[in-house]
Amino acid sequence: MDRVYNFSPGPAMLAQPVLEKAQADLMCYGTTGMSVMEMSHRSKMYTDIFDKTVADLRKLMAIPDDYDVLFLQGGATEQFSGVPLNLMKTGKADYVDSGNFAHLAAEEAKRYGTVNIAASSREDNYTHIPDLKNANFSDDADYVHICQNNTIYGTRYIELPDVKAPIVCDASSFILSEPMDVTKYGVIYAGAQKNIGPSGLCVMVVKKDLLGNPNKLCPKLMNWTVQSDKGSMYNTPNTWGIYLAGLTFEWLLSIGGVEAIHKVNVEKAKLVYDFLDESKLFKGTAQKEYRSLMNVTFVTGDADKDAAFVKAAAAEGLVNLKGHRTVGGMRASIYNAMPVDGVKKLVAFMKDFEAKNA
Ligand SMILES: *Cc1c(COP(=O)(O)O)cnc(C)c1O
């Protein structure tokens, strides 16, 4: 059977060379006579894989030495709890409410301390990033939490908030899709299943001077200080997930790194948005200046036509285009692993559908 173009928001497509390598290694990794899944996480063969994975991520993101890299379990959502449990020293934090995940992160943090919603675009159904210039940031927040790319609404920040407190960024749906200046952040964390690898893994970049003050009740596995001391191996980590993340990092390095893939991502997004802007049938839902490069949200304005489009597209091998229920319509998630050809095929299909249904 042929592979489809999978526009799923996550778990999402992996790059074909990554899947091919994993398939080739599945029974016997190198000369070990066993699969990576069967190796002790403490073995030399596995720690070599692990160390290279960390080193490659450091290279890709130009991560300075005063930042730690952690590979933790539980996805991004677990860190909605992990962030306040590790960082609320005085018990106060600022959150920017730019979408569903940003909202969920803030709601979870309220269980551990005082949460100030510095700005929100909730009343506009999150069609834009809130106004950061007139936001109500506190003087004494332990950190400022943002979700920089809003997976469900298809928006992304065009600039970071100008704040003193460390910025904690949920980067799940855009990490490694464009260059990020790591020094501008205190913490970057991302569930792996969008741009990195399989689900159940959270990749974290943490400024070392933020470690050392966890809440007394912080569970061991969520405790970044413990995990940093133990090299992400307080217990058995997600060994297979980390190995696959490593393959994705190798693939990205082989094609020129984050700057190179960013150019491709800009090209892909432009193909869809340019068409949306001239379309008589489809309309983008996110405000133009905040449009995401990763998640393109659009509607026809007619729920029946939307459903017909999603169904007809799937029959052409363009799958998982249904939008999130809070936005409706369609969403094309075009992460790093989505080839330009997949996007061209999508746009051609949209044109064809428009000609028949406008
Ligand atoms: C997908 C996603 C999450 C949730 O990730 P899990 O790994 O399922 O916990 C959180 N934040 C953002 C921005 C996401 O896109």
Side-chain angles (χ1 to χ4, degrees), residues 275-286:
F275 173 65
L276 284 176
D277 288 342
E278 64 175 46
S279 173
K280 288 184 190 67
L281 179 64
F282 299 103
K283 191 171 162 296
T285 63

Side-chain angles (χ1 to χ4, degrees), residues 46-92:
Y46 189 76
T47 50
D48 284 351
I49 293 173
F50 185 90
D51 292 346
K52 181 167 189 302
T53 301
V54 172
D56 283 352
L57 182 66
R58 284 191 172 279
K59 228 182 277 173
L60 281 167
M61 294 183 70
I63 300 171
D65 288 343
D66 55 339
Y67 286 75
D68 236 330
V69 171
L70 302 176
F71 288 100
L72 303 187
Q73 309 197 36
T77 305
E78 180 147 300
Q79 298 309 328
F80 293 171
S81 325
V83 167
L85 281 165
N86 282 278
L87 298 181
M88 272 188 173
K89 267 191 284 190
T90 70
K92 278 179 72 176

Side-chain angles (χ1 to χ4, degrees), residues 33-52:
M34 64 176 82
S35 160
V36 173
M37 274 184 274
E38 301 167 301
M39 286 176 192
S40 162
H41 56 298
R42 313 265 179 220
S43 66
K44 166 93 170 75
M45 19 191 187
Y46 189 76
T47 50
D48 284 351
I49 293 173
F50 185 90
D51 292 346
K52 181 167 189 302

Side-chain angles (χ1 to χ4, degrees), residues 9-11 74-80 100-102 104-105 145-152 170-174 189-194 198-202 295 331 335:
T77 305
E78 180 147 300
Q79 298 309 328
F80 293 171
N100 186 53
F101 290 115
L104 291 174
H145 183 277
I146 64 168
C147 179
Q148 204 169 326
N149 183 81
N150 297 281
T151 324
I152 292 172
D170 177 352
S172 296
S173 50
F174 88 109
Y189 68 101
Q193 68 273 27
K194 281 120 193 191
S199 60
L201 177 67
C202 188
N295 312 97
R331 168 175 47 171
Y335 300 118

Side-chain angles (χ1 to χ4, degrees), residues 3 6-15 192-195 197-198 333 335 337:
R3 281 175 61 76
N6 180 4
F7 293 90
S8 166
M13 280 183 91
L14 292 176
Q193 68 273 27
K194 281 120 193 191
N195 251 338
S333 294
Y335 300 118

